[in-house]
Amino acid sequence: LAKTTQPISMDSYEGQEVNITCSHNNIATNDYITWYQQFPSQGPRFIIQGYKTKVTNEVASLFIPADRKSSTLSLPRVSLSDTAVYYCLVGEHAGNMLTFGGGTRLMVKP
Amino acid sequence: DTAVSQTPKYLVTQMGNDKSIKCEQNLGHDTMYWYKQDSKKFLKIMFSYNNKELIINETVPNRFSPKSPDKAHLNLHINSLELGDSAVYFCASSQPGTGTYEQYFGPGTRLTVT
């Protein structure tokens, strides 16, 4: 599985847009990019997945440049409840042995 | 209804004991997993299992073994517990072939070995 690199932590304020970038320089052709969110004392929760360009759902947007060597998770107008750890993962659909990196600890302040 | 459930939520035991953690999913998924999250919050895959195949992370000691009585359950047995086994253990499930990498995680079991 491709290795990913994310910032260890980020701070933001309520109402701001937060962008978390993940580097995955050795991403393979068949790999998809997936983001999970984890609150304290809970299991990770799927946020969004994409292969190229842009994907948007009710929670977030995922921007993937043409070379796919990085991706950016965008959280619009964050609230205090968005304080969590965000994990970027890269792998094939068929692959099921997920490898989580250290994640990015997002702290949203009032 | 809870999609993926685990019992117990907390487990405190002594070194050398044998313990089990139960996991059940009501999503009809074919594949289930066990993960370990240590004190540094790194989440590591331990096992991936479906009706046909068990995939073991080679770094997992053989004191850990998954047991699946049926497709909806994947229990984790741990023999001769050690201090280093203290962690939060997460069960998860997914349905291969759906076109997504989405796994559904349980609430976790915090294991403390004294």
Side-chain angles (χ1 to χ4, degrees):
Chain A
L1 294 174
K3 182 179 178 179
T4 60
T5 303
Q6 308 173 230
I8 294 175
S9 64
M10 295 181 66
D11 289 343
S12 183
Y13 291 92
E14 283 188 293
Q16 290 188 336
E17 178 184 75
V18 171
N19 296 308
I20 306 174
T21 298
C22 179
S23 297
H24 27 80
N25 291 322
N26 60 341
I27 188 170
T29 302
N30 294 332
D31 286 345
Y32 279 70
I33 301 155
T34 310
W35 286 79
Y36 281 78
Q37 174 192 55
Q38 185 178 25
F39 296 113
S41 301
Q42 294 186 26
R45 181 175 71 103
F46 175 91
I47 300 176
I48 198 167
Q49 181 182 77
Y51 183 82
K52 61 180 180 180
T53 62
K54 176 183 175 182
V55 179
T56 297
N57 62 22
E58 65 278 7
V59 176
S61 294
L62 179 59
F63 298 92
I64 306 169
D67 65 6
R68 304 201 325 123
K69 293 184 181 301
S70 67
S71 59
T72 299
L73 175 72
S74 181
L75 304 172
R77 303 182 63 183
V78 294
S79 64
L80 296 178
S81 63
D82 292 317
T83 293
V85 178
Y86 293 82
Y87 295 95
C88 166
L89 293 91
V90 174
E92 296 183 28
H93 276 184
N96 52 22
M97 297 284 280
L98 292 185
T99 298
F100 285 76
T104 298
R105 293 182 177 279
L106 172 65
M107 174 67 73
V108 180
K109 303 175 182 178
Chain B
D1 285 344
T2 302
V4 182
S5 60
Q6 298 178 224
T7 54
K9 188 170 178 61
Y10 299 97
L11 181 57
V12 181
T13 187
Q14 293 183 333
M15 288 175 54
N17 286 347
D18 302 337
K19 291 293 180 183
S20 296
I21 304 172
K22 296 184 178 180
C23 177
E24 177 181 3
Q25 54 97 2
N26 62 6
L27 299 167
H29 289 168
D30 287 331
T31 305
M32 297 182 72
Y33 317 82
W34 277 104
Y35 289 83
K36 177 182 180 181
Q37 188 166 42
D38 59 25
S39 58
K40 296 182 179 179
K41 304 301 182 183
F42 286 100
L43 197 62
K44 299 178 181 178
I45 182 73
M46 300 177 70
F47 304 101
S48 167
Y49 182 82
N50 63 22
N51 288 335
K52 303 174 183 177
E53 186 177 19
L54 170 65
I55 301 175
I56 303 172
N57 184 324
E58 60 186 11
T59 67
V60 175
N62 57 16
R63 298 181 294 104
F64 291 78
S65 59
K67 305 289 184 185
S68 181
D70 54 59
K71 193 176 83 168
H73 297 83
L74 184 65
N75 304 324
L76 181 65
H77 296 268
I78 315 170
N79 296 324
S80 302
L81 279 157
E82 302 177 356
L83 293 176
D85 297 333
S86 295
V88 180
Y89 292 84
F90 290 100
C91 176
S93 73
S94 71
Q95 184 59 31
T98 58
T100 73
Y101 218 164
E102 183 172 2
Q103 292 190 6
Y104 294 80
F105 284 78
T109 296
R110 182 174 294 278
L111 171 65
T112 302
V113 182
T114 61

